[in-house]
Amino acid sequence: MTQAHALDILKLGKNVFLTGAAGSGKTYVLNEYIGYLKKKHIPVAITASTGIAATHMQGKTIHSWAHIGIKESLSQADLAHMFAKKDVRKSIAEAKVLIIDEVSMLHHFRLDMVNDVLQKMHGNSKPFGGIQVVLCGDLFQLPPVSRMTRAQYVTDAAIWNEMDIHICYLTEQHRQDDDALIQLLNEMRDGEVSEKSHELIQDRINAEIISDITPTKLFTHNVDVDVMNQQELTKLSGKPRSYKMTQKGDKSVAKTLKNNCLAPEELILKKNAIVMFVQNNYAKGFVNGTLGKVVSFALDGAPIVDTLDGKTISVPMGSWRVEEGDSVIAEINQLPLRLAWAITVHKSQGMTLDAAQIDLSKTFITGMGYVALSRVRSLETLNILGINQKALMVDPIVIEIDSTLSQESERYRRAIESMSPAELLTSQQEYIASLKYEGRLNLADV
């Protein structure tokens, strides 16, 4: 399925699971659909399973938006208490489309809890109160933390088989340009890594990366990351410059943004510091994951960064915010940079790195190696510092699920292709018109 197929299905108002391998363009499709809805003045709730993913999307965690917090179940009393709060009821009932990104890390029972909340707030017993739900993610990425014998994914949710979910499995590759790396990642997804791919991995152990910029090191544990970055910054002889984050709006929401934003609350830079951009700004020439080196500072204090691909960028202030409708609930501002000699594999999820050194010797969960290896575009930009047996493993349950999802996606691809352009456009326009009509009716109810 192509990105265009998926976008057409989304515009029909179908409940969708947007999936595919790392680099297949899932985030691009989400952003295109969000932009489309906003142009049509359709209220859309943008959420993700983790704070890091939520800040990437300029949204909230699903736990915060649905007011379920860290609960593992909801009683009728909980729902009634929530419904009694007009501001909570209004913010949830306003949404006509709900997007949940990075659902690989969302527990199955929490999807059921979100369904319960939406049914209550919308006064509608249909799945999710009758609104469109778009789930996005790759089940081969990091799974939800679980105390059970196996991780249970959103596909295990009780509501899954009731929501008439359309599978959009993207098959084009927009990140990797290396056939050998693509082959390795596909073999990991199939659960059968060939001898040739094992040899390629061995060839990249302590391999030299030819680059003017030191590659980002990925570690599996925070302690290794912090030690590495501080050590490298201390080695530089230049004068340190400090940049402190500012905030406005709701303090608790701003605190959540701070805790989950990849930009640090206080950023200390020196000339020659290795940095990574942590936001997309296509106009300025950088994306989340672009690597560079601080070469100087402008008169106003802005760092000047030379990127790996040859651009020189005066780094503008970045903004992370949470919005509801046209209102900004909270906003934080900081340079969209972080020290990048090292980051964790977990925080690298969703990024594309220009070059990376990866230590997988302490891999402790299936999927971690897949996430790390899929961050780069080519094996030539990869240096493996260490690897253990678990690093190339993925959850066999996910392999089974993935096969079913791929088959379902093919069925939906054929269905969308069978519609004429005129029929497709008419159906999409009718869906948008129905949302606007429902919005007028529901306003008085809230």
Side-chain angles (χ1 to χ4, degrees):
M1 184 177 287
T2 66
Q3 294 175 345
H5 288 135
L7 198 53
D8 276 337
I9 292 172
L10 286 166
K11 290 178 180 179
L12 289 172
K14 305 297 184 183
N15 290 336
V16 164
F17 179 30
L18 180 65
T19 190
S24 58
K26 297 182 292 294
T27 300
Y28 172 82
V29 172
L30 275 190
N31 285 330
E32 287 292 297
Y33 188 49
I34 290 167
Y36 168 81
L37 291 171
K38 287 186 173 180
K39 284 180 182 177
K40 303 291 184 182
H41 305 290
I42 303 300
V44 53
I46 304 167
T47 75
S49 63
T50 68
I52 292 171
T55 57
H56 288 175
M57 297 293 295
Q58 303 285 316
K60 291 183 175 183
T61 64
I62 185 60
H63 311 72
S64 171
W65 180 82
H67 293 267
I68 59 177
I70 60 173
K71 291 186 177 75
E72 297 196 356
S73 64
L74 287 174
S75 66
Q76 288 303 312
D78 291 329
L79 291 168
H81 180 68
M82 203 182 297
F83 189 78
K85 297 180 178 180
K86 186 174 181 180
D87 58 334
V88 173
R89 189 169 75 245
K90 185 175 185 294
S91 66
I92 296 176
E94 276 181 345
K96 298 302 172 190
V97 179
L98 170 61
I99 290 171
I100 310 177
D101 196 15
E102 294 291 4
V103 293
S104 70
M105 290 187 279
L106 185 68
H107 290 89
H108 65 294
F109 59 82
R110 289 214 164 89
L111 186 64
D112 287 324
M113 289 165 66
V114 173
N115 172 61
D116 292 341
V117 169
L118 284 167
Q119 287 179 333
K120 180 71 174 180
M121 299 302 162
H122 283 267
N124 189 325
S125 61
K126 291 181 180 178
F128 299 96
I131 73 169
Q132 181 187 20
V133 174
V134 181
L135 308 178
C136 181
D138 177 13
L139 298 185
F140 284 99
Q141 304 283 318
L142 295 174
V145 177
S146 178
R147 293 187 297 271
M148 305 181 71
T149 54
R150 77 167 180 89
Q152 288 189 280
Y153 301 91
V154 288
T155 53
D156 292 306
I159 195 62
W160 182 267
N161 291 324
E162 299 177 31
M163 59 190 291
D164 187 27
I165 193 156
H166 287 51
I167 309 303
C168 293
Y169 196 129
L170 300 181
T171 54
E172 296 174 312
Q173 182 51 244
H174 299 275
R175 178 181 295 158
Q176 281 82 24
D177 53 14
D178 181 333
D179 289 342
L181 178 58
I182 293 171
Q183 179 68 22
L184 166 63
L185 295 173
N186 285 339
E187 287 175 2
M188 290 177 71
R189 295 175 75 92
D190 290 337
E192 296 180 3
V193 179
S194 67
E195 185 177 338
K196 181 180 179 181
S197 290
H198 275 291
E199 290 173 358
L200 289 173
I201 287 292
Q202 290 299 314
D203 288 343
R204 300 314 300 172
I205 293 178
N206 296 319
E208 182 184 2
I209 297 176
I210 301 173
S211 169
D212 293 333
I213 295 178
T214 304
T216 298
K217 290 182 174 68
L218 299 186
F219 292 100
T220 53
H221 293 73
N222 274 308
V223 64
D224 297 318
V225 168
D226 295 339
V227 168
M228 175 64 67
N229 280 331
Q230 191 54 49
Q231 284 178 346
E232 295 297 325
L233 185 66
T234 302
K235 289 178 185 178
L236 300 179
S237 58
K239 177 184 176 182
R241 303 231 183 180
S242 175
Y243 303 86
K244 292 186 177 179
M245 186 180 287
T246 61
Q247 70 176 65
K248 59 183 179 181
D250 185 286
K251 290 183 179 179
S252 64
V253 177
K255 183 179 179 181
T256 301
L257 282 173
K258 282 184 181 181
N259 291 340
N260 293 294
C261 176
L262 285 174
E265 197 162 344
E266 182 179 15
L267 174 67
I268 299 176
L269 298 177
K270 293 180 182 180
K271 185 179 177 180
N272 294 322
I274 302 301
V275 293
M276 180 175 63
F277 288 87
V278 293
Q279 216 177 33
N280 294 330
N281 189 327
Y282 300 106
K284 289 289 185 179
F286 61 84
V287 296
N288 190 12
T290 296
L291 288 173
K293 179 189 288 185
V294 176
V295 293
S296 63
F297 296 89
L299 291 176
D300 63 359
I304 309 297
V305 173
D306 279 355
T307 67
L308 185 65
D309 58 1
K311 297 186 180 74
T312 298
I313 298 171
S314 178
V315 183
M317 188 59 66
S319 170
W320 291 261
R321 61 179 64 181
V322 172
E323 300 175 341
E324 283 188 3
D326 296 326
S327 301
V328 177
I329 304 303
E331 181 177 1
I332 60 173
N333 293 278
Q334 174 60 292
L335 291 173
L337 295 174
R338 67 177 292 123
L339 295 177
W341 285 282
I343 58 173
T344 61
V345 171
H346 183 272
K347 287 183 179 177
S348 76
Q349 186 157 309
M351 292 181 173
T352 302
L353 298 177
D354 295 315
Q357 291 179 309
I358 303 175
D359 187 352
L360 295 173
S361 62
K362 299 178 185 176
T363 300
F364 58 90
I365 192 170
T366 57
M368 187 168 277
Y370 180 83
V371 169
L373 294 170
S374 60
R375 296 311 94 204
V376 296
R377 296 184 177 91
S378 167
L379 286 172
E380 298 303 312
T381 63
L382 173 66
N383 173 7
I384 298 175
L385 301 174
I387 192 166
N388 67 11
Q389 189 174 7
K390 200 160 197 168
L392 299 184
M393 294 173 62
V394 295
D395 188 343
I397 299 295
V398 173
I399 296 174
E400 261 183 65
I401 297 170
D402 190 69
S403 176
T404 301
L405 295 176
S406 181
Q407 293 171 30
E408 286 291 295
S409 177
E410 180 63 15
R411 180 162 66 89
Y412 292 118
R413 182 191 65 80
R414 290 196 299 268
I416 200 73
E417 285 186 343
S418 70
M419 299 178 71
S420 70
E423 180 187 4
L424 183 62
L425 181 60
T426 298
S427 296
Q428 291 169 346
Q429 290 173 336
E430 287 175 349
Y431 171 60
I432 292 296
S434 72
L435 292 183
K436 291 182 176 181
Y437 179 69
E438 288 173 5
R440 288 195 294 272
L441 287 181
N442 291 343
L443 192 60
D445 296 339
V446 173

